[in-house]
Amino acid sequence: MEIEVSADDVVYEEDVLRDPFRLSGWLRYLSGRVAAPPAKRAAIYERALRALPGSYKLWHAYLTELGDAARALPVTHAAHAGLNATFERALAAGMSRMPRLWHMYASSLLQQRLLTRARRVLDRALRSLPVTQHHRVWPLHLRLASLPDCPAPTALRMHGRHLQFDPDHAEEFIAFLVSAGRWRDAAHHLATAIDDEGFVSVKGRTKRELLLDLCGLLAQHPEEVAGMPVDAILRGSIRKFPEEASMLWTCLASHYARRGLHGKARDVFEEATTTATTVKDFRMVFDAYLHFEHAMAAAELELGQADTVDVQDCWLADRDSTDLTMARLERLLERRPELLNSVLLRQNPHDVQAWHERAKIFHKDPARHAATYVEAVKTVDPAKATGKPPHTLWLALTKMYEDRGSADCARDVLHRATQANFTAAEHLAAVYCEWANMELKHQNPETAIDLIRQATMPPSIEATMRTAAAGGEDVRAKLHRCLKLWLVYLDLMTTHGSLESTCAVYDKMHDLGVITPLLVLDHATLLEQHRRFEDAFRVYERGVRSFKHPHADAIWEAYLTKFVQRHGESRPERVRDLFQAAVLQAPPGRKKAVYLRYARFEEDFGLASRAMKVYEDAASAVPADDKLCVYEVYIARATELCGLLKARDVYRQAVVGGGLPDEGARAMCVGFADLEIGLGEVARARALYVHAASFTDPEVCPEFWKRWNDFEVLNGDESTFREMLRAKRTMAAVARDGAGTRRAIGTDGRLVECAGQRLDCAQQCKRIRLA
C-alpha cells in the first residue's frame, strides 16, 4: 500500500527506515500522526506489522481502531468483513494465545449477529487458550446462548458445557431451563442442587428457597416431569426439611391432582394430616385438603348438570358419585377436631388436658370414649404429665363406667389406678377419696372406711427398706401423711362411726403431725358436745404445744375462754396457771391481749389486788407501742377499784419509769395534770406540765403548749406565765439546734437534759415535789 509522505512524516520515516524492527519507532510514528486519515494510519499499521508480525501492542491498537471505525457502520458494510479478516490474520500471526483478541473478535461477531461464526470462534478460543484462561471466554458463550436468535439446542449445549467447567453456574443454568420451558431438566438440576451438601448459592439463596422453586415446578407441570421420581424427591425433602413439611405435602398432592390421580392425591392429604407435628402445618394441609374436596364436589355437581344423556337404565351409570363426594367433604369437616387433637398429642403425648379434650370429641361414641381413656392411661407417664394431674384420667374413666352403671368396671379401674406410679401423694390420695365416695354412693360405708383406713396406714419397715434400697421415692410411703385422706376419714368416722373411733382418728393425726388448728378446735368442740370437758382441755393443751404463733392464737383464745367458763369460779388457781403459761408463750404482739384478759379474770373471779398486780406486770412486759394502752386501762380500773390514790401511783409509775415513748409520756403527764387539777392541786399540775415540756417541741406539738397556756391563764400568775414562755422558747431553741433531749426527774425536782442544758424548776419544786 503506497502512501504520500509529507514533510511532517520525514522524521518518522527516517527513524523507521533506519531500524524497522524497533517497536518504539513505529509507536512514535503512530502517536505523532493521530490526526492522519484512517487509510494512511492503516498503511502505517500494515508496514509496522510486516516488520513486527508478533507484536501484540500493534495488533491490539490496529484492531481497536478498525473496530471503532466499523461499529458506526451497518453490519453489511465491507468494513466489517475487513475487520474479520484482520482478526484472522492476527490469530494466524501468533496472537491465538491472547484471550483479549479472542474476546474482541467474538464480541464483534456477536454485534454483527454472525452467531454460527461467533460460536465457532469461541470454540477455537477454548481449544487455543489454556484452561486457566477459559473463564474469560465463557461469559461470551452465555451471552451468545441468551440471544433470541440462538437455537435452543445450541444454547442448552453451551450452558451444559459451561456448567461442567463452572459448577457455580447451576442457578443461571436452571433459570435458562425454566425460561426455555425445559421443566424436566430444570427440576432435575434443582433436585441435584438441593441434595448436594456442598452446594452454595452464588446469589445467596437458601436450600429452602430452591426447594420452593422445585415444588412449584413439580406441582404446576406434572405432565412435563412425568418421568421423574416426584414422590421420592418430595418425600426425601420432607425428611430433610421438616419445617416445610406442610408445603411439600401440599405440592405432592397437587401434583397427583393435576395428573388426574384424585385417589392418590387424597391418600397424600390423609397421610399429611395424620403425620403433621405442628398446628401450623396441620392447618395449611387441612385447608388445602378441604379446598381439594370442595373442588371435587363442585366438579361433580357441574358434571351432573352438564350430562344430558339418559343413562338411567345403564348398569354402568355412577349414580352415587356425587353423594359420595359430598359425604367425603362432610366427613372431613367432622374429623377436623379429632385430627387437630392428634397433632397436639404427637407434639406431647403426655398432655393430660389434650387427652381430656380428645375424650370429649367421642362423648357420643361410648366405645371410642372408653378406648381414648384406656389409651391415655397407658400412654401418659405421670413423671412427664402436663396440663392437668395424671390421676384425672383414671377418675374420668371411672366416672364414665359409673355413669353407665358398670360399678365393677369402675372398681377395677380404681384398683389399677392405686397401682400407678404417681409422682405426688395427693394424686394417689384423690384416687382413694374418689373410690370411697363411689362406695358411699352405692351404700357401702364399711368398704369406704376400710379403703381409707388401708390408705392411711403407715408403710411397713420392710417396704420402707425396699424403697430405700431401690434408690427411689415411692409416693405410697407418703400417702399416710396426706391431709385430704384424713379429712375424708374424719367425715366417714363422724357420719358412720362412734365418738371413740372419731377421737382415735384425731389422735392419729396429732401423732403424725398432719392436724391443723381448725381440726384441733373441731376435736375439742366434739368432746365438749359430749360433755367430756377434761378431754377437750387436753386437746387444747396438745394443740398449743403443737403450734406456734400465729397459728396457735385461735387455739389459745378458745382454750382460755372455755377454761374460764368451766373453772373460773371453782378452780381459779388452775386458771391462773393457764394464764401464766399463755403469757410466757405469747409473742410480744399478743401479750397485751393475754394480760388484759388475765386481769379481767382476776376482776371477775379474784381480788382487786391481784388484778392490779397483773396490770402492773403487763405494763412492764408489753412492747413500748402497747404500754400507753395498758396504762390507760390500768389507770381506769385502778380508779374504779382502788380510788384516786392508786391512780396517782399508777400515773407516777408511768411518768417516772414506765418506759413510755415521748408521745405516751406526754399523754400521761397531761392526764396526771388533769387529775391533780380536779383535786385542786394546781402546783402539782404545773410541775407535771414543766416535766412534759422538757421533751416537747412547740412546732411539733402546739396543742400541748396551748393547753399549758390555757392552764396558766386560769390558774397562774405573771411569773408562772413568764416561766412557761421561757420554757417554750428554750425548747424551740433546742429543737432548732438539733440537740435532742432525754428527760429525767432527779430527787431535787430538776429536769436534766441529755445535751447538757437544764430547765431549772427549783422555784416550783420548793413549793411542791412529785410524790
Side-chain angles (χ1 to χ4, degrees), residues 99-113:
R100 181 61 184 167
L101 292 184
W102 287 108
H103 191 280
M104 293 171 61
Y105 190 11
S107 299
S108 177
L109 292 175
L110 290 177
Q111 185 179 3
Q112 301 171 43
R113 288 297 186 270

mmCIF file of all heavy atoms in Angstrom, residues 99-113:
data_model
loop_
_atom_site.group_PDB
_atom_site.id
_atom_site.type_symbol
_atom_site.label_atom_id
_atom_site.label_comp_id
_atom_site.label_asym_id
_atom_site.label_seq_id
_atom_site.Cartn_x
_atom_site.Cartn_y
_atom_site.Cartn_z
ATOM 1 N N PRO A 99 -6.087 -13.974 25.031
ATOM 2 C CA PRO A 99 -7.540 -14.056 25.240
ATOM 3 C C PRO A 99 -8.261 -12.751 24.920
ATOM 4 O O PRO A 99 -9.421 -12.755 24.539
ATOM 5 C CB PRO A 99 -7.673 -14.417 26.721
ATOM 6 C CG PRO A 99 -6.386 -13.986 27.341
ATOM 7 C CD PRO A 99 -5.330 -14.156 26.284
ATOM 8 N N ARG A 100 -7.562 -11.626 25.044
ATOM 9 C CA ARG A 100 -8.212 -10.352 24.756
ATOM 10 C C ARG A 100 -8.612 -10.252 23.292
ATOM 11 O O ARG A 100 -9.701 -9.753 22.963
ATOM 12 C CB ARG A 100 -7.267 -9.213 25.138
ATOM 13 C CG ARG A 100 -7.835 -7.826 24.899
ATOM 14 C CD ARG A 100 -9.080 -7.627 25.725
ATOM 15 N NE ARG A 100 -9.715 -6.343 25.448
ATOM 16 C CZ ARG A 100 -10.933 -5.998 25.833
ATOM 17 N NH1 ARG A 100 -11.667 -6.873 26.518
ATOM 18 N NH2 ARG A 100 -11.419 -4.814 25.534
ATOM 19 N N LEU A 101 -7.746 -10.719 22.385
ATOM 20 C CA LEU A 101 -8.069 -10.658 20.959
ATOM 21 C C LEU A 101 -9.238 -11.587 20.629
ATOM 22 O O LEU A 101 -10.120 -11.236 19.825
ATOM 23 C CB LEU A 101 -6.835 -11.019 20.134
ATOM 24 C CG LEU A 101 -5.683 -10.013 20.188
ATOM 25 C CD1 LEU A 101 -4.558 -10.426 19.248
ATOM 26 C CD2 LEU A 101 -6.166 -8.614 19.821
ATOM 27 N N TRP A 102 -9.278 -12.774 21.241
ATOM 28 C CA TRP A 102 -10.430 -13.660 21.034
ATOM 29 C C TRP A 102 -11.719 -12.992 21.532
ATOM 30 O O TRP A 102 -12.769 -13.088 20.870
ATOM 31 C CB TRP A 102 -10.230 -14.975 21.790
ATOM 32 C CG TRP A 102 -9.216 -15.908 21.181
ATOM 33 C CD1 TRP A 102 -7.988 -16.192 21.664
ATOM 34 C CD2 TRP A 102 -9.363 -16.655 19.989
ATOM 35 N NE1 TRP A 102 -7.326 -17.089 20.866
ATOM 36 C CE2 TRP A 102 -8.184 -17.401 19.809
ATOM 37 C CE3 TRP A 102 -10.371 -16.780 19.024
ATOM 38 C CZ2 TRP A 102 -7.966 -18.251 18.728
ATOM 39 C CZ3 TRP A 102 -10.171 -17.628 17.954
ATOM 40 C CH2 TRP A 102 -8.991 -18.353 17.800
ATOM 41 N N HIS A 103 -11.637 -12.327 22.670
ATOM 42 C CA HIS A 103 -12.817 -11.647 23.218
ATOM 43 C C HIS A 103 -13.294 -10.549 22.278
ATOM 44 O O HIS A 103 -14.510 -10.396 22.016
ATOM 45 C CB HIS A 103 -12.461 -11.071 24.595
ATOM 46 C CG HIS A 103 -13.654 -10.591 25.371
ATOM 47 N ND1 HIS A 103 -14.244 -9.366 25.149
ATOM 48 C CD2 HIS A 103 -14.365 -11.162 26.374
ATOM 49 C CE1 HIS A 103 -15.272 -9.199 25.965
ATOM 50 N NE2 HIS A 103 -15.366 -10.281 26.733
ATOM 51 N N MET A 104 -12.321 -9.754 21.726
ATOM 52 C CA MET A 104 -12.693 -8.682 20.798
ATOM 53 C C MET A 104 -13.286 -9.258 19.517
ATOM 54 O O MET A 104 -14.285 -8.723 18.991
ATOM 55 C CB MET A 104 -11.460 -7.846 20.466
ATOM 56 C CG MET A 104 -10.911 -7.059 21.663
ATOM 57 S SD MET A 104 -9.313 -6.292 21.313
ATOM 58 C CE MET A 104 -9.744 -5.209 19.962
ATOM 59 N N TYR A 105 -12.719 -10.336 19.011
ATOM 60 C CA TYR A 105 -13.199 -10.957 17.773
ATOM 61 C C TYR A 105 -14.625 -11.489 17.965
ATOM 62 O O TYR A 105 -15.538 -11.201 17.174
ATOM 63 C CB TYR A 105 -12.250 -12.075 17.380
ATOM 64 C CG TYR A 105 -12.489 -12.652 15.991
ATOM 65 C CD1 TYR A 105 -13.347 -12.035 15.079
ATOM 66 C CD2 TYR A 105 -11.827 -13.826 15.592
ATOM 67 C CE1 TYR A 105 -13.546 -12.576 13.809
ATOM 68 C CE2 TYR A 105 -12.014 -14.361 14.321
ATOM 69 C CZ TYR A 105 -12.893 -13.728 13.451
ATOM 70 O OH TYR A 105 -13.101 -14.249 12.199
ATOM 71 N N ALA A 106 -14.867 -12.251 19.073
ATOM 72 C CA ALA A 106 -16.198 -12.824 19.308
ATOM 73 C C ALA A 106 -17.233 -11.719 19.569
ATOM 74 O O ALA A 106 -18.376 -11.800 19.106
ATOM 75 C CB ALA A 106 -16.141 -13.774 20.499
ATOM 76 N N SER A 107 -16.849 -10.673 20.286
ATOM 77 C CA SER A 107 -17.783 -9.580 20.528
ATOM 78 C C SER A 107 -18.170 -8.888 19.233
ATOM 79 O O SER A 107 -19.347 -8.515 19.039
ATOM 80 C CB SER A 107 -17.156 -8.557 21.494
ATOM 81 O OG SER A 107 -16.858 -9.152 22.737
ATOM 82 N N SER A 108 -17.203 -8.707 18.337
ATOM 83 C CA SER A 108 -17.505 -8.095 17.030
ATOM 84 C C SER A 108 -18.450 -8.964 16.230
ATOM 85 O O SER A 108 -19.398 -8.474 15.595
ATOM 86 C CB SER A 108 -16.204 -7.850 16.262
ATOM 87 O OG SER A 108 -16.475 -7.328 14.974
ATOM 88 N N LEU A 109 -18.239 -10.276 16.259
ATOM 89 C CA LEU A 109 -19.130 -11.177 15.516
ATOM 90 C C LEU A 109 -20.540 -11.170 16.113
ATOM 91 O O LEU A 109 -21.533 -11.234 15.369
ATOM 92 C CB LEU A 109 -18.552 -12.584 15.523
ATOM 93 C CG LEU A 109 -17.238 -12.772 14.725
ATOM 94 C CD1 LEU A 109 -16.709 -14.177 14.904
ATOM 95 C CD2 LEU A 109 -17.455 -12.467 13.239
ATOM 96 N N LEU A 110 -20.650 -11.122 17.429
ATOM 97 C CA LEU A 110 -21.972 -11.062 18.044
ATOM 98 C C LEU A 110 -22.687 -9.759 17.697
ATOM 99 O O LEU A 110 -23.905 -9.740 17.495
ATOM 100 C CB LEU A 110 -21.842 -11.190 19.564
ATOM 101 C CG LEU A 110 -21.413 -12.563 20.090
ATOM 102 C CD1 LEU A 110 -21.246 -12.516 21.607
ATOM 103 C CD2 LEU A 110 -22.441 -13.632 19.718
ATOM 104 N N GLN A 111 -21.920 -8.676 17.585
ATOM 105 C CA GLN A 111 -22.530 -7.416 17.200
ATOM 106 C C GLN A 111 -23.015 -7.478 15.754
ATOM 107 O O GLN A 111 -24.035 -6.867 15.407
ATOM 108 C CB GLN A 111 -21.517 -6.284 17.384
ATOM 109 C CG GLN A 111 -22.092 -4.897 17.114
ATOM 110 C CD GLN A 111 -21.071 -3.806 17.317
ATOM 111 O OE1 GLN A 111 -19.898 -4.086 17.604
ATOM 112 N NE2 GLN A 111 -21.491 -2.559 17.161
ATOM 113 N N GLN A 112 -22.312 -8.237 14.920
ATOM 114 C CA GLN A 112 -22.728 -8.391 13.524
ATOM 115 C C GLN A 112 -23.817 -9.460 13.366
ATOM 116 O O GLN A 112 -24.281 -9.689 12.246
ATOM 117 C CB GLN A 112 -21.506 -8.779 12.667
ATOM 118 C CG GLN A 112 -20.374 -7.776 12.700
ATOM 119 C CD GLN A 112 -19.120 -8.296 12.030
ATOM 120 O OE1 GLN A 112 -19.181 -8.906 10.948
ATOM 121 N NE2 GLN A 112 -17.962 -8.067 12.651
ATOM 122 N N ARG A 113 -24.236 -10.119 14.500
ATOM 123 C CA ARG A 113 -25.235 -11.176 14.517
ATOM 124 C C ARG A 113 -24.812 -12.382 13.662
ATOM 125 O O ARG A 113 -25.644 -13.082 13.090
ATOM 126 C CB ARG A 113 -26.585 -10.659 14.040
ATOM 127 C CG ARG A 113 -27.274 -9.733 15.030
ATOM 128 C CD ARG A 113 -27.587 -10.497 16.309
ATOM 129 N NE ARG A 113 -28.367 -9.710 17.245
ATOM 130 C CZ ARG A 113 -27.858 -8.921 18.194
ATOM 131 N NH1 ARG A 113 -26.541 -8.816 18.322
ATOM 132 N NH2 ARG A 113 -28.627 -8.255 19.012
#
